[in-house]
Amino acid sequence: MDTSDKLTLIVSYILKYAVFLSITLIIIGISLMFINGNANGVPISKLADFNNAQTGTYNSSSFSPTQIPGAIMSLDALGFISLGLWVLIFTPVTVLVSSLVEYIYVKNKLYTILTFVVLFNLMAAILIVPHFVKV
Amino acid sequence: MIDYESLGWFLLILAGGVVAGIIGSLTGLGGGSVLVPLLTLFYGVPIEYATGASLISTIATSAGSASTYTRKGIANIKIGVGLEVATTLGAIIGALMFEIVVTHKVQFVLYLLFGVVILTSIIPTVKRGKYEFPEEKQGDFTSRIFQLKAKYYDEKAGKEVSYTGVRWWLGEIIMFFAGLLSGLLGIGSGALKVLGMDWAMNLPMKVTTTTSNFMIGITAATGSSIYWYAGYIQFFLASATAIGVLLGSRIGSTLLLRISNKEIRWIFFSILSFLGVDMILKGITNSKLYNIPSIDGFGIAVASSVILILLLFLKITIEEGKHGYLR
């Protein structure tokens, strides 16, 4: 098996299992939400309401990713749902990192640089750009 | 005590996601292009949350289907990653533009743009599959520098197909706009990605569609994180649609293999054009330039989509005669 075949196989498995993991986490989270009747102390009726002009809609700006570990430890629904969503967002990062490693290994300089630029853009979108938008 | 009202609501959104996934997969336009109009026009979801939910669902469906195609070696990861340089940049700018549009409360622009994008995407999507194997061109300087010569095994043709991509720079320019639309509208922009790789770079259609599928996840993830911090991901909605659209796209791709009469896809193209026209009408009403009563809007959308699809159907049938695109 040559290196490009190996990369193809690795990428394929990452994609497959990441989606499975993410959807499983989301389903666990949603189940907990319905069983507990709330998530992160917010009643389910408010969580399900996305068009409330008076009290505002409960959205991702109200739950920081840093709250995920604590929420999971206390079996809170939002911890699992958020983790599931972040697994999805991070799946391409994993794919790009494995591509980068592969291109470094086969000494393909041009594609090492190009993959690095894509990874940089994606990481900038995750870590830097959000500071320029409202929170 | 389970809140049955919320549970019912959740299942209803999930069902909408399944429908969007099926239509998106059968037409090849992707779940997001159906999900956003469905949520905004029929579920009353504000476009910012519909777009956020759509981006998340897009990553899930892209990863799910791309996994199969990359394993079969049809999707070209090298070309995909190379083009993502422009797409990710476009997605960042698109997501920031989205934020500006929402902050300034001019969301009607998004409805208008969405409608136009759906309607213009239908034509290249219908024509998809026309050139199964493009004539392998003499490579240009970009083919050599960016290593665009590759091959894959085509199961249907039972042979190895080799190809040489050309005009990498033009592909990059188109991909930038594909990324921009993805970040701005929460869709995968599959039609534009196909245009970039099929028309601009002369790649075989199978390589184009599968590589596009692989790329869509990276582009959508770029926009998603910005959406997250800006507060456009609504957990309840995004969870239901991620599961629903993924499920729907699986059903859709299974159906696609079983449907013997491909003409049936025209029904779904009609639904898409209806959604496109309806989005434009909603945009006009929301802009407060002209108020179109919803019942009139419905009639206009139905009539114009029927006319549009009939014209397109006739044009393509006449043009192609014996080898209809959809066969």
Side-chain angles (χ1 to χ4, degrees), chain A residues 15 92 118, chain B residues 58 62-63 66 70 75-88 171-172 175-176 178-179 182 188 193-194 197 203 207-222:
Chain A
L15 291 170
V118 179
Chain B
T58 303
S62 157
T70 45
N76 190 319
I77 297 177
K78 197 187 261 181
I79 292 180
V81 169
L83 292 174
E84 276 297 328
V85 170
T87 319
T88 45
E172 287 285 332
M175 288 304 156
F176 171 79
S182 172
K193 284 196 173 84
V194 168
M197 283 186 274
L203 301 175
V207 177
T208 294
T209 45
T210 52
T211 308
S212 156
N213 237 323
F214 162 75
M215 291 171 66
I216 282 169
I218 303 176
T219 318
T222 311

Side-chain angles (χ1 to χ4, degrees), chain A residues 56-126:
Chain A
T57 301
Y58 191 84
N59 59 41
S60 51
S61 67
S62 323
F63 191 84
S64 161
T66 51
Q67 291 173 261
I68 293 174
I72 287 189
M73 294 305 280
S74 55
L75 288 181
D76 184 80
L78 274 190
F80 287 90
I81 294 174
S82 300
L83 185 62
L85 296 176
W86 275 104
V87 167
L88 270 186
I89 297 175
F90 264 95
T91 306
V93 177
T94 328
V95 168
L96 288 170
V97 169
S98 52
S99 306
L100 188 66
V101 171
E102 196 63 39
Y103 291 130
I104 292 172
Y105 180 72
V106 297
K107 296 190 176 67
N108 188 334
K109 274 186 201 155
L110 180 71
Y111 274 89
T112 302
I113 296 168
L114 289 176
T115 313
F116 182 79
V117 173
V118 179
L119 195 58
F120 177 83
N121 284 350
L122 186 52
M123 292 313 289
I126 295 173

Side-chain angles (χ1 to χ4, degrees), chain B residues 150-166:
Chain B
K151 55 181 187 262
Y152 76 96
Y153 182 75
D154 193 288
E155 279 178 12
K156 207 171 171 185
K159 63 172 182 180
E160 202 160 67
V161 178
S162 60
Y163 56 92
T164 306
V166 292

Side-chain angles (χ1 to χ4, degrees), chain A residues 10-69:
Chain A
I10 293 168
V11 168
S12 160
Y13 281 122
I14 292 173
L15 291 170
K16 190 173 164 188
Y17 292 112
V19 173
F20 179 74
L21 176 66
S22 158
I23 295 295
T24 308
L25 285 166
I26 292 173
I27 292 173
I28 294 173
I30 286 293
S31 309
L32 283 171
M33 187 189 279
F34 283 110
I35 293 165
N36 297 338
N38 70 73
N40 200 29
V42 181
I44 196 163
S45 55
K46 183 164 169 56
L47 293 164
D49 185 1
F50 38 69
N51 210 359
N52 197 323
Q54 270 113 42
T55 57
T57 301
Y58 191 84
N59 59 41
S60 51
S61 67
S62 323
F63 191 84
S64 161
T66 51
Q67 291 173 261
I68 293 174

Side-chain angles (χ1 to χ4, degrees), chain B residues 284-298:
Chain B
I284 294 172
T285 303
N286 285 5
S287 71
K288 297 192 173 65
L289 287 172
Y290 186 75
N291 186 34
I292 303 164
S294 58
I295 188 80
D296 291 356
F298 185 81

Side-chain angles (χ1 to χ4, degrees), chain B residues 32-255:
Chain B
S33 303
V34 187
L35 186 67
V36 176
L38 203 70
L39 291 177
T40 51
L41 299 172
F42 300 106
Y43 287 73
V45 176
I47 199 163
E48 47 270 38
Y49 294 128
T51 312
S54 169
L55 267 183
I56 294 288
S57 316
T58 303
I59 312 177
T61 41
S62 157
S65 62
S67 146
T68 314
Y69 295 122
T70 45
R71 195 175 55 246
K72 286 185 179 171
I74 306 173
N76 190 319
I77 297 177
K78 197 187 261 181
I79 292 180
V81 169
L83 292 174
E84 276 297 328
V85 170
T87 319
T88 45
L89 190 65
I92 293 175
I93 296 172
L96 291 175
M97 281 167 73
F98 178 83
E99 164 69 6
I100 294 168
V101 168
V102 175
T103 314
H104 289 80
K105 299 201 184 310
V106 284
Q107 283 95 328
F108 74 89
V109 177
L110 299 174
Y111 284 97
L112 293 174
L113 189 62
F114 205 107
V116 172
V117 168
I118 294 186
L119 292 176
T120 46
S121 299
I122 291 176
I123 301 167
T125 315
V126 168
K127 289 188 175 182
R128 212 178 264 187
K130 185 183 164 195
Y131 304 109
E132 191 70 46
F133 307 117
E135 203 178 308
E136 197 175 351
K137 282 187 182 172
Q138 185 86 34
D140 59 10
F141 73 101
T142 59
S143 321
R144 205 177 49 253
I145 298 172
F146 294 98
Q147 305 144 35
L148 306 178
K149 196 171 169 57
K151 55 181 187 262
Y152 76 96
Y153 182 75
D154 193 288
E155 279 178 12
K156 207 171 171 185
K159 63 172 182 180
E160 202 160 67
V161 178
S162 60
Y163 56 92
T164 306
V166 292
R167 297 190 293 191
W168 188 81
W169 57 273
L170 187 58
E172 287 285 332
I173 294 172
I174 297 174
M175 288 304 156
F176 171 79
F177 289 102
L180 191 84
L181 286 182
S182 172
L184 191 57
L185 303 176
I187 54 174
S189 307
L192 210 53
K193 284 196 173 84
V194 168
L195 188 75
M197 283 186 274
D198 170 48
W199 173 74
M201 295 178 69
N202 200 44
L203 301 175
M205 192 51 87
K206 243 180 207 159
V207 177
T208 294
T209 45
T210 52
T211 308
S212 156
N213 237 323
F214 162 75
M215 291 171 66
I216 282 169
I218 303 176
T219 318
T222 311
S224 295
S225 55
I226 300 173
Y227 274 56
W228 181 291
Y229 289 103
Y232 301 134
I233 308 287
Q234 211 274 347
F235 300 105
F236 193 83
L237 193 66
S239 306
T241 54
I243 301 169
V245 178
L246 185 65
L247 201 64
S249 66
R250 289 281 162 99
I251 298 171
S253 49
T254 315
L255 279 177

